[in-house]
């Protein structure tokens, strides 16, 4: 927005989201002691408004309310106002999102929560317009009402806050139960019931490309041989890659589809979606050897390098859905544009191939897709020529806002994806990308031995959360398996020790979101419920188990199993919400091997990587005469010293 107002306190922040609000007429504070002290001194309630810089409805609410002089005057008069970037402070976001869901039955961003000065909530919601509409309260009436409620009904406000905090405590107070192995089948059956057999995915609309569901199905197939699980995953990945949710011009995946068939996306692109879908397509390729899955991996890496990489190696958080104030404007095409750019002959054929018509499929314009078409009348070289011409033209448009902060948790997911893809596709450049991101995190997000959450403009901010550490452990495990370099396991064990020291709940098991040294909020949360990406505890369970297998140290496996035990009641009640954690149960149920290799040839390594081995680990010693030994269930086979026999053994699934 234009800076016609004096900047508020957010001008000193590095978060792109907070900086978007630095010239609002609202007297915003960043989250911190100053804001809550001011609220206590002036006896005012607090508005905490949480979002992120590429959030479409956050933009809408900002324009309608936070940039509006009348609303700003009301807020400044009655409230102390705090802005929070949810990606920098997932701990705050998690607490108040749970509150919003308790009070309203739903959640999302922008998230707006009204608190007492001691941080206890008494009202919450998501998007509020300026005026009342469609039965929803508007800011103009709501602000005076909630301020009056705070001052004149203080006892009720305090009671609401106490009740909500008590419910949050109950949510975090895990109960241990005996879990049947059948819970993994119950989770699969839930996915089966919700599966869309026509378009893939689960449910109707909006439809998310949730990697946790796809990877669970692939592992369930591996553990049980259930063909239906594999087909559900494959169908979903095929349809996503055909749909408009996939950017057929510039590559990469949008956040979600607004319709059932994956045609019309919410055009925002998130880094974690790219990372997790790279995992999905790489693993699906291992099983099927489908060329289109390999294509999806290589194209997504091309997109990431071109549009989301910091010059020093890390990757930015997200690309906005909007440009020039219009959602999707950067990505959509008119039929006439296609003909003008590509010429009559190729343009007509390209439009026919990608479902681009004079009528359009999105607000009069077209989103390229392959949902109901096949790549037909143009050759592969001609299609690529067309795509490059269109991309060149598109790059002259006004580019959407990019959130250029670099998040440890999401970059660590990307390291693991690059490392795995590099090994599977024998592509050294992918491994180099993983190493470069790792170097970036070590250089800019590790200070005095402590990991931090985000980096921007030369500053690392906020001590890391369990997600940062857990995802980084995954990255180090994957780097070791891809390269055989022992240093990654040395660092993984050091990181495991740090997590056990800083986050472990020694009384009830599992790991807190925040470290023992972190700022105290109204509750210290601990969860295994997954969202768009896995909960830290869920990732940690699987990665501790893998680290235990790699290092042959049962202590890590004990801690992994302890996490499952700690959240056993949640798993039993909501198995489809804990799919990442259930992967560990599948690992115990499935055959799993430790493969010891001394000085393996490239052929042996490629055979090792190309097979789908989600529950196997391997150890690579680079010096000495070739040898391979396979261990399973605490016993080892005789060592194999013949390369041909070793290859034959690895090929046998």
């Amino acid at each position: 927005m234009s800076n016609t107002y004096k900047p508020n306190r957010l001008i000193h922040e590095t978060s792109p989201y907070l900086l978007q609000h630095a010239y609002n007429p609202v007297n915003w504070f960043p989250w911190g002691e100053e804001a809550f002290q001011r609220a206590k001194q002036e006896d005012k309630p607090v508005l905490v408004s949480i979002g992120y810089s590429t959030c479409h409805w956050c933009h809408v609410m900002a324009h309608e309310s936070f940039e509006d002089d009348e609303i700003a005057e009301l807020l400044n008069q009655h409230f102390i106002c705090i802005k929070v970037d949810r990606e920098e402070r997932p701990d705050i976001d998690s607490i108040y999102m749970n509150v919003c869901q308790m009070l309203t039955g739903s959640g999302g961003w922008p998230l707006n929560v009204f608190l007492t000065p001691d941080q206890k909530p008494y009202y919450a919601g998501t998007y509020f317009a300026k005026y009342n509409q469609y039965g929803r309260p508007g800011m103009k009436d709501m602000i005076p009402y909630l301020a009056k409620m705070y001052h004149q009904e203080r006892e009720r406000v305090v009671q609401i806050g106490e009740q909500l905090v008590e419910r949050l405590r109950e949510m975090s107070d895990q109960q241990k139960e005996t879990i049947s192995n059948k819970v993994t089948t119950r989770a699969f059956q839930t996915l089966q019931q919700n599966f869309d057999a026509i378009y893939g995915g689960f449910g109707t609309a909006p439809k998310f490309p949730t990697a946790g569901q796809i990877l669970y199905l692939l592992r369930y197939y591996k553990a049980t041989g259930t063909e239906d699980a594999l087909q559900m995953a494959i169908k979903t990945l095929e349809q996503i890659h055909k749909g408009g949710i996939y950017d057929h011009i510039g590559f990469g995946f949008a956040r979600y589809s607004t319709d059932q068939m994956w045609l019309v996306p919410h055009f925002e692109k998130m880094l974690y979606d790219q990372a997790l879908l790279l995992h999905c397509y790489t693993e699906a390729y291992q099983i099927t050897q489908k060329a289109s899955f390999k294509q999806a991996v290589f194209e997504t890496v091309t997109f990431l390098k071109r549009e989301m990489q910091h010059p020093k190696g890390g990757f930015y958080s997200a690309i906005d859905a909007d440009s020039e104030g219009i959602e999707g404007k950067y990505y959509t095409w008119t039929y006439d544009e296609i003909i003008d750019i590509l010429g009559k002959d190729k343009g007509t054929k390209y439009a026919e191939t990608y479902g681009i018509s004079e009528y359009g499929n999105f607000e009069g314009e077209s989103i390229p897709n392959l949902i109901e078409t096949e790549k037909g009348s143009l050759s592969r070289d001609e299609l690529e020529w067309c795509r490059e011409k269109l991309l060149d033209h598109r790059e002259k448009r006004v580019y959407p806002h990019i959130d250029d902060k670099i998040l440890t948790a999401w970059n660590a997911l990307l390291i693991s994806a690059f490392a795995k893809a590099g090994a599977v596709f024998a592509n050294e450049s992918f491994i180099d990308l993983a190493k470069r991101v790792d170097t970036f995190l070590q250089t800019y997000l590790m200070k005095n031995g402590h990991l931090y959450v985000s980096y921007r403009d030369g500053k690392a901010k906020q001590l890391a959360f369990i997600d940062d550490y857990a995802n980084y452990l995954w990255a180090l495990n994957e780097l070791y398996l891809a390269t055989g370099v022992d240093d990654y396991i040395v660092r993984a064990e050091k990181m495991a020790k740090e997590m056990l020291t800083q986050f472990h709940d020694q009384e009830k098991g599992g790991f807190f979101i925040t470290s023992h040294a972190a700022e105290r909020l109204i509750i210290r949360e601990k969860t295994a419920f997954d969202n768009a990406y896995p909960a830290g505890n869920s990732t940690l369970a699987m990665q501790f188990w893998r680290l235990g297998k790699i290092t042959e140290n049962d202590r890590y496996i004990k801690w992994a199993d302890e996490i499952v035990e700690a959240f056993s009641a949640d798993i039993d009640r909501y198995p489809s919400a804990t799919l990442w954690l259930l992967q560990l149960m599948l690992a115990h149920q499935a055959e799993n091997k430790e493969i010891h290799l001394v000085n393996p040839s490239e052929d042996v390594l490629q055979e090792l990587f190309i097979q789908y081995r989600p529950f196997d680990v391997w150890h690579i010693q680079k010096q000495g005469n070739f040898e391979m030994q396979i261990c399973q269930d605490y016993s080892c086979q005789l060592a194999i010293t013949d390369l041909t026999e070793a290859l034959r053994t690895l090929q046998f699934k």
Side-chain angles (χ1 to χ4, degrees), residues 284-390:
Y285 176 81
Q286 286 177 303
I287 300 171
T288 66
Q289 303 293 298
K290 283 180 72 74
S292 62
F293 292 168
K294 181 176 181 179
Q295 177 190 350
V297 170
F298 278 70
E299 288 177 349
T300 302
V301 174
T302 297
F303 153 71
L304 284 164
K305 288 167 63 180
R306 186 183 64 239
E307 296 190 34
M308 295 193 79
Q309 190 170 24
H310 185 282
K312 292 182 180 176
F315 284 79
Y316 304 134
S317 300
I319 302 171
D320 209 322
D322 300 7
S323 56
E324 301 181 75
I326 299 169
E327 182 172 6
K329 184 170 183 180
Y330 185 74
Y331 298 101
T332 59
W333 305 84
T334 65
Y335 182 82
D336 289 344
E337 268 184 308
I338 299 295
I339 303 302
D340 286 346
I341 297 163
L342 301 180
K344 181 71 173 173
D345 179 47
K346 284 192 177 68
T348 303
K349 291 174 182 175
Y350 187 90
E352 187 179 287
T353 301
Y354 281 93
I356 297 165
S357 70
E358 294 180 56
Y359 308 103
N361 54 30
F362 174 69
E363 298 179 359
E365 297 198 351
S366 289
I367 301 163
N369 72 95
L370 293 165
I371 295 168
E372 294 177 345
T373 65
E374 293 294 333
K375 296 179 181 178
S377 52
L378 291 171
S379 69
R380 182 181 297 179
D381 288 345
E382 287 173 322
L383 283 171
E384 180 59 15
W385 179 87
C386 291
R387 188 195 68 79
E388 288 177 356
K389 288 279 284 187
L390 293 173

Side-chain angles (χ1 to χ4, degrees), residues 611-630:
Q611 298 266 357
Y612 183 52
R613 304 177 183 277
F615 308 122
D616 294 348
V617 298
W618 42 90
H619 316 255
I620 300 173
Q621 182 181 320
K622 301 197 174 176
Q623 300 297 321
N625 296 323
F626 171 74
E627 186 176 290
M628 182 177 84
Q629 187 174 42
I630 296 177

Side-chain angles (χ1 to χ4, degrees), residues 186-200:
R186 282 171 48 211
F188 165 67
Q189 288 169 342
T190 301
L191 292 173
Q192 200 173 31
Q193 288 160 11
N194 293 324
F195 181 64
D196 180 348
I198 299 172
Y199 296 111

Side-chain angles (χ1 to χ4, degrees), residues 345-534:
D345 179 47
K346 284 192 177 68
T348 303
K349 291 174 182 175
Y350 187 90
E352 187 179 287
T353 301
Y354 281 93
I356 297 165
S357 70
E358 294 180 56
Y359 308 103
N361 54 30
F362 174 69
E363 298 179 359
E365 297 198 351
S366 289
I367 301 163
N369 72 95
L370 293 165
I371 295 168
E372 294 177 345
T373 65
E374 293 294 333
K375 296 179 181 178
S377 52
L378 291 171
S379 69
R380 182 181 297 179
D381 288 345
E382 287 173 322
L383 283 171
E384 180 59 15
W385 179 87
C386 291
R387 188 195 68 79
E388 288 177 356
K389 288 279 284 187
L390 293 173
L391 180 62
D392 184 59
H393 180 86
R394 195 174 80 175
E395 287 177 337
K396 296 179 174 67
R397 296 175 178 176
V398 176
Y399 194 78
H401 159 73
I402 190 161
D403 187 321
D404 60 354
K405 70 177 179 295
I406 293 167
L407 295 167
T408 297
W410 299 3
N411 274 264
L413 287 176
L414 204 55
I415 293 171
S416 64
F418 285 154
K420 178 180 285 181
V424 170
F425 298 109
N427 189 303
E428 200 62 38
S429 70
F430 292 176
I431 304 281
D432 289 342
L433 271 174
K435 291 176 179 176
R436 193 163 181 230
V437 181
D438 176 43
T439 300
F440 185 97
L441 296 184
Q442 289 297 300
T443 305
Y444 297 104
L445 281 141
M446 189 73 80
K447 295 197 301 186
N448 302 320
H450 296 295
L451 194 60
Y452 281 73
V453 170
S454 71
Y455 172 88
R456 186 173 182 273
D457 278 356
K459 296 177 187 172
K461 287 197 67 174
Q462 186 63 42
L463 281 171
F465 300 106
I466 194 61
D467 288 19
D468 300 291
Y469 280 95
N471 289 353
Y472 213 149
L473 182 62
W474 185 2
L476 292 170
N477 280 345
E478 216 67 67
L479 275 166
Y480 171 75
L481 292 172
T483 66
V485 174
D486 289 336
D487 182 59
Y488 293 122
I489 287 304
V490 172
R491 287 171 53 200
E493 291 204 85
K494 185 178 177 184
M495 193 161 279
K497 184 179 178 182
E498 178 82 4
M499 280 185 277
L500 286 158
T501 303
Q502 290 296 325
F503 296 88
H504 190 215
D505 182 348
Q506 295 186 353
E507 182 185 347
K508 293 187 175 180
F511 290 75
F512 293 107
I513 291 175
T514 55
S515 75
H516 301 322
E519 171 192 358
R520 287 289 178 261
L521 303 175
I522 55 171
I523 186 168
R524 193 177 181 199
E525 282 195 317
K526 190 169 44 166
T527 185
F529 288 127
D530 304 315
N531 292 303
Y533 45 90

Side-chain angles (χ1 to χ4, degrees), residues 36-99:
F36 290 106
Q37 282 299 330
R38 179 72 68 89
K40 288 171 185 172
Q41 289 165 8
E42 298 182 11
D43 192 24
K44 284 182 178 180
V46 176
L47 164 62
V48 176
S49 184
I50 304 172
Y52 55 103
S53 81
T54 59
C55 162
H56 173 73
W57 286 102
C58 300
H59 301 332
V60 174
M61 187 169 177
H63 296 322
E64 290 181 352
S65 295
F66 301 140
E67 294 171 13
D68 181 88
D69 288 320
E70 186 178 14
I71 297 300
E73 187 177 348
L74 283 170
L75 282 171
N76 293 338
Q77 179 184 344
H78 294 294
F79 286 88
I80 298 299
C81 299
I82 296 174
K83 262 287 170 199
V84 174
D85 183 331
R86 68 170 291 261
E87 294 164 358
E88 283 191 344
R89 293 301 303 264
D91 54 336
I92 298 168
D93 178 61
S94 177
I95 289 170
Y96 294 116
M97 184 60 74
N98 284 331
V99 166

